[in-house]
């Protein structure tokens, strides 16, 4: 399949590389593209490019985009079972499912991710403590192995391929179709409780308490607060509202859902605007504006789940240097490591604009799946932040020593030996990959750097 050469990055806009882009419109055309793969050039799948660094890039090789594999094949309104092509986005599933009362089982902080990308990164959402990660809700998928052979895989028929693909970052094959169990909801609105916490101890205590009461919880933290205010946060927790919770106006259209970005960041947005001073001011103002405690506010799906989707291309605010996301999880019992991570970030004056703390429930079986029971913290920093490399190296050590790990969908710099410490099933994953792809056809910039 002839492709054109394109320069690609992930959402963080760092580490660009050029590859030939193929955009097959059918599974048969995708199989043909894969059959032409060679180890010399390598190939990798790409969805909507929302992973933060280079997991969906293959410099000098071929990137197979699923942008044209974007059809919903079947949606059973009675059972909520949906079968779709892998390039279908979670937003498309919401638009199709909500009128019949079905929502995606797991939603990351953006709905602009594909089903293929959601399985390959085994994504998690604000409901991980009750729902686990995305692949737990996948009943089957069809995957093209390196070479182009098609396989239909369920957890029962081939558990090792199923769980190597969940979180396998596209390295086991190209997913072309999946069947997913959606979640029933009574309306498209969320009933939200908000609590403003004074410090890290209160933040962790309130998160634990809210996890017992709510299906969705998260803390938005002020990463630059220090001293008595270290780890102060605004916690928002919610559950889908019932019809009786809605105002008469909302009740007229209980499943209303109006996606679409409202604002855009202009291409010439001045660089350097995100720095320790502006982020400090913005975090402080936002924290003070939040109510100390508010119960039962009705919010839309967009406001509660995907606030960043309201601004198209918000990643441009970091300027041409881009930004690095860093997300870790450490097991419960390692609360001191969480506190220490907040100290390291605030003492380094590293301006993380979006800082999110959450508790994960039990992890699933994915060999390279990120979540495990414990505390997860996501941070994002302008890539040109002075001293960033040293700070992230210190966080790596802290996390590895606590028995935790960093998230591959966001990683841009963890050393390979540290990654191996963090993912005890990496050797199993590599062995399975060697059997599935002896010629080493599937490869990404991420897999080459880390030897996945
Ligand atoms: C604003 C924002 C918020 C986010 N919040 C969260 C969050 O809360 N939780 C979370 O878990 N993640 C989160 N993410 C990360 C995002 O959910 C994942 O990186 C997801 O994988 C992106 O999907 P994508 O379709 O854009 O895939 P891409 O970024 O294009 O690819 C990601 C990986 O999936 C592989 N892949 C893609 N399609 C296929 C396919 N058809 N077959 C096989 N492999 C495939 C690629 O090879 C690559 O390794 C967030 C990202 C952004 C930008």
């Amino acid at each position: 399949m002839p492709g054109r050469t394109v320069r690609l990055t992930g959402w963080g806009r760092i580490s660009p590389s050029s590859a030939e882009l193929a955009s097959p419109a059918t599974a048969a055309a995708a199989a043909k593209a894969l059959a032409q793969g060679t180890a010399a050039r390598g190939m990798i799948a790409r969805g909507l490019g929302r992973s933060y660094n280079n997991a969906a890039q293959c410099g000098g090789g071929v990137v197979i985009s699923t942008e044209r594999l974007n059809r919903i094949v079947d949606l059973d309104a009675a059972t909520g079972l949906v079968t779709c092509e892998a390039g279908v986005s979670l937003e498309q599933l919401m638009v199709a499912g909500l009128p019949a009362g079905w929502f995606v089982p797991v939603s990351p902080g953006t709905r602009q991710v594909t089903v293929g990308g959601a399985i390959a990164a085994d994504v998690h959402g604000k409901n991980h403590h009750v729902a686990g990660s995305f692949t737990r809700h996948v009943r089957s998928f069809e995957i093209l192995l390196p070479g182009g052979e098609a396989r239909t895989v369920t957890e029962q028929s081939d558990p090792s391929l199923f769980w190597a693909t969940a979180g396998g970052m596209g390295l086991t094959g190209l997913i072309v179709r999946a069947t997913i169990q959606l979640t029933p909801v009574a309306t498209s609105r969320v009933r939200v409780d908000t609590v403003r916490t004074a410090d890290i101890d209160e933040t962790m205590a309130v998160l634990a308490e809210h996890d017992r009461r709510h299906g969705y919880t998260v803390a938005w933290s002020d990463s630059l607060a220090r001293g008595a205010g270290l780890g102060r946060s605004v916690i928002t927790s919610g559950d889908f509202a019932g019809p009786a919770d809605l105002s008469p106006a909302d009740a007229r259209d209980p499943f209303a859902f109006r996606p679409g970005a409202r604002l855009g960041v202009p291409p010439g947005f001045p660089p350097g605007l995100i720095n320790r001073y502006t982020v400090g001011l913005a975090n402080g103002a936002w924290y003070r504006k939040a109510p100390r405690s508010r119960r039962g506010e009705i919010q839309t799906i967009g406001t509660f789940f995907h606030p960043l989707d309201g601004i198209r291309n918000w990643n441009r605010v970091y300027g041409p240097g881009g930004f690095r996301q860093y997300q870790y999880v450490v097991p419960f019992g390692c609360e001191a490591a969480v506190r220490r991570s907040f100290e390291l970030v605030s003492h380094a004056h590293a301006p993380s604009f979006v800082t999110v703390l959450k508790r994960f429930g039990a992890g699933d079986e994915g060999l390279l799946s990120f979540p495990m029971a414990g505390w997860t913290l996501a941070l994002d920093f302008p890539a040109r932040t002075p001293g960033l490399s040293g700070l992230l190296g210190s966080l790596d050590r802290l996390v590895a020593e606590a028995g935790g790990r960093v998230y591959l969908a966001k990683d841009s710099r963890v050393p390979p030996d540290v990654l191996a410490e963090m993912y005890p099933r990496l050797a199993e994953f590599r062995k399975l990959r060697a059997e599935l792809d002896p010629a080493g056809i599937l490869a990404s910039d991420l897999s080459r750097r880390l030897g996945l």
Side-chain angles (χ1 to χ4, degrees), residues 183-437:
T183 298
V185 291
T187 72
S188 63
R189 312 303 202 287
V190 189
R191 208 180 46 248
V192 182
D193 289 352
T194 303
V195 174
R196 197 177 68 187
T197 58
D199 59 23
I200 187 67
D201 291 334
E202 190 187 2
T203 301
M204 289 201 263
V206 173
L207 273 175
E209 185 212 327
H210 280 212
D211 272 8
R212 286 191 286 276
R213 291 199 274 120
H214 294 284
Y216 301 92
T217 59
V218 77
W220 305 87
S221 306
D222 178 355
S223 61
L224 290 175
R226 306 172 70 164
L230 183 83
R232 67 183 185 176
S233 303
V234 176
I235 295 176
T236 53
S237 310
D239 296 283
F240 273 93
D245 297 317
L246 303 190
S247 67
D250 284 355
R252 277 198 283 279
D253 190 0
F255 292 109
F257 175 59
R258 293 178 194 90
R262 290 178 292 281
L263 302 164
V265 177
F269 192 81
L273 229 58
I274 304 284
N275 57 48
R276 57 188 273 200
Y277 303 106
T278 54
V279 170
L281 284 172
N283 281 0
W286 154 88
Y287 176 79
R288 281 186 292 276
K289 198 172 141 260
R292 175 75 185 95
S293 174
R294 179 173 58 204
R295 298 194 72 142
E297 188 196 8
I298 300 297
Q299 293 188 358
T300 62
I301 284 172
T303 307
F304 182 71
F305 287 100
H306 316 117
L308 293 168
D309 283 356
I311 306 171
R312 209 164 11 97
N313 297 337
W314 63 264
N315 54 345
R316 289 211 190 124
V317 301
Y318 293 89
F323 68 109
R324 289 183 198 274
Q325 261 262 348
Y326 186 90
Q327 185 171 0
Y328 75 70
V329 55
V330 293
F332 290 128
C334 297
E335 288 70 25
V338 178
R339 165 187 284 279
R340 181 74 190 128
S341 66
F342 274 93
E343 284 168 358
L344 286 170
V345 172
S346 65
H347 286 148
H349 300 291
S352 168
F353 195 44
V354 180
T355 307
V356 175
L357 181 67
K358 165 149 190 75
R359 291 158 54 91
F360 280 152
D364 290 300
E365 292 297 309
L367 299 185
L368 297 188
S369 197
F370 167 65
M372 60 160 81
W375 297 96
T376 183
L377 180 68
L379 300 145
D380 60 33
F381 304 103
R384 292 175 180 162
T385 302
L388 187 58
S389 166
L391 169 67
L392 298 183
S394 306
L395 288 173
D396 282 347
R397 288 278 20 113
L398 182 74
V399 170
E401 277 161 22
R405 55 176 72 130
V406 296
Y407 189 13
L408 285 172
K410 302 191 170 180
D411 179 60
S412 56
R413 24 74 45 219
V414 70
D417 56 322
V418 179
L419 186 90
E421 246 182 274
M422 293 173 165
Y423 281 88
R425 299 184 76 184
L426 181 58
E428 220 179 303
F429 181 79
R430 286 185 176 134
K431 183 164 172 285
L432 194 125
R433 276 246 301 142
E435 286 159 17
L436 275 178
D437 186 11

Side-chain angles (χ1 to χ4, degrees), residues 75-164:
L75 170 58
D76 185 331
T79 62
L81 211 57
V82 64
T83 298
C84 63
E85 293 182 326
V88 164
S89 70
L90 298 194
E91 179 173 289
Q92 274 179 274
L93 291 184
M94 291 173 204
V95 169
L98 278 165
W102 297 101
F103 187 60
V104 294
V106 166
S107 178
T110 172
R111 53 184 183 263
Q112 302 303 340
V113 311
T114 63
V115 164
I119 297 172
D122 200 17
V123 299
H124 57 269
K126 293 179 179 186
N127 59 347
H128 189 275
H129 59 291
V130 288
S133 39
F134 192 84
T135 316
R136 192 187 284 187
H137 308 272
V138 173
R139 295 294 162 258
S140 69
F141 57 77
E142 194 176 309
I143 189 165
L144 302 173
L145 300 179
E149 181 201 336
R151 289 238 188 118
T152 300
V153 184
T154 67
E155 189 182 355
Q156 293 71 33
S157 71
D158 192 343
S160 38
L161 183 54
F162 189 87
W163 289 116

